């Protein structure tokens, strides 16, 4: 399959990152299993705790996780997109997600209000997912989405992002460990890093999230040799929290969770990239 490209605001052509279908499928299975396991280890008291997300307790968060898993079989059971080529890339999905946040919130609240057993809802979503796992990572299938046609493989990668981000929310809210699959975490880091590069195209700042991603962003003098003059480096989980608004840039820098050097290395005004 030919490599896909997008033209940035600077006029340069940027190659879109590829995701391996087999690794994506395995990561989805692992992260879904980790989510279900954590849900069943929660006590009723823990399910009533604040989730850290505005207006949601942990029950709402569990219901939302179930809906994210169920979105895969739901999309596969619907019609294919009418478009001939993909209209939405993963970076665009991340940057556009805030546009449908209110709708997602309303749907989660409505479903939570009529759901007594959120772990059972997750189990039902997992049962519906299992028969369609191979189709979930098809590169040739386009499905209609809120922002336009998307490859089914890419849509499944967005589920990894949802499960990793909200799995971390769940762990922080309850103190119950939620295993983050290495490949699922890697995909999440890369989607969010590529979204930053799309939001602020350029080559003056290098953002490093070892061992998963390195991207260049922000307009300014182009770096070509040696150590870049503007470098940001952080850990995968800190990056996920920064890129989704769970952690504040200035505080992360002050706490030493982020190393930022160079006059252009302040990313505070560019984050989060996914709301």
């Amino acid at each position: 399959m030919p490599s896909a490209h997008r033209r940035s605001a600077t006029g340069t052509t940027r190659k879109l990152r590829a995701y391996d279908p087999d690794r994506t499928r395995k990561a989805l299975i692992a992260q879904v299993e980790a989510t279900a396991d954590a849900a069943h280890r929660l006590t009723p008291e823990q399910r009533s705790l604040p989730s850290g997300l505005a207006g949601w307790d942990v029950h709402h968060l569990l219901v939302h996780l179930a809906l994210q898993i169920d979105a895969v079989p739901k999309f596969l059971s619907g019609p294919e997109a009418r478009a001939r080529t993909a209209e939405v890339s993963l970076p665009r999905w991340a940057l556009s997600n805030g546009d449908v946040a209110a709708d997602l919130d309303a749907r989660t609240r409505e479903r939570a209000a009529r759901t007594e057993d959120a772990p059972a809802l997750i189990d039902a979503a997992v049962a519906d997912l299992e028969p369609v796992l191979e189709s979930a990572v098809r590169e040739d299938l386009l499905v209609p989405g809120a922002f336009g046609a998307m490859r089914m493989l890419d849509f499944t990668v967005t589920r990894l992002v949802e499960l990793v981000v909200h799995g971390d929310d769940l762990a922080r809210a309850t103190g119950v460990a939620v295993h983050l699959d290495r490949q699922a975490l890697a995909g999440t880091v890369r989607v969010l890093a590529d979204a930053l590069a799309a939001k602020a195209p350029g080559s003056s700042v290098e953002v490093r999230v070892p061992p998963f991603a390195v991207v260049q962003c922000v307009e300014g003098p182009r770096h070509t040799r040696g150590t870049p003059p503007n470098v940001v480096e952080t850990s995968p989980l800190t990056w996920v929290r920064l890129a989704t608004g769970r952690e504040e840039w200035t505080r992360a820098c002050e706490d030493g969770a982020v190393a930022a050097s160079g006059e252009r290395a302040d990313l505070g005004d560019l984050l989060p990239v996914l709301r």
Side-chain angles (χ1 to χ4, degrees), residues 135-157:
S135 295
V137 294
R138 282 178 55 181
E139 298 177 272
D140 62 329
L141 175 61
L142 294 178
V143 292
F147 315 118
M150 195 173 199
R151 293 193 312 163
M152 193 62 217
L153 172 61
D154 290 343
F155 182 76
T156 298
V157 173

Side-chain angles (χ1 to χ4, degrees), residues 79-85 87 142-144 149:
E80 291 189 31
R82 295 182 178 180
R84 294 179 177 272
T85 59
E87 299 168 325
L142 294 178
V143 292

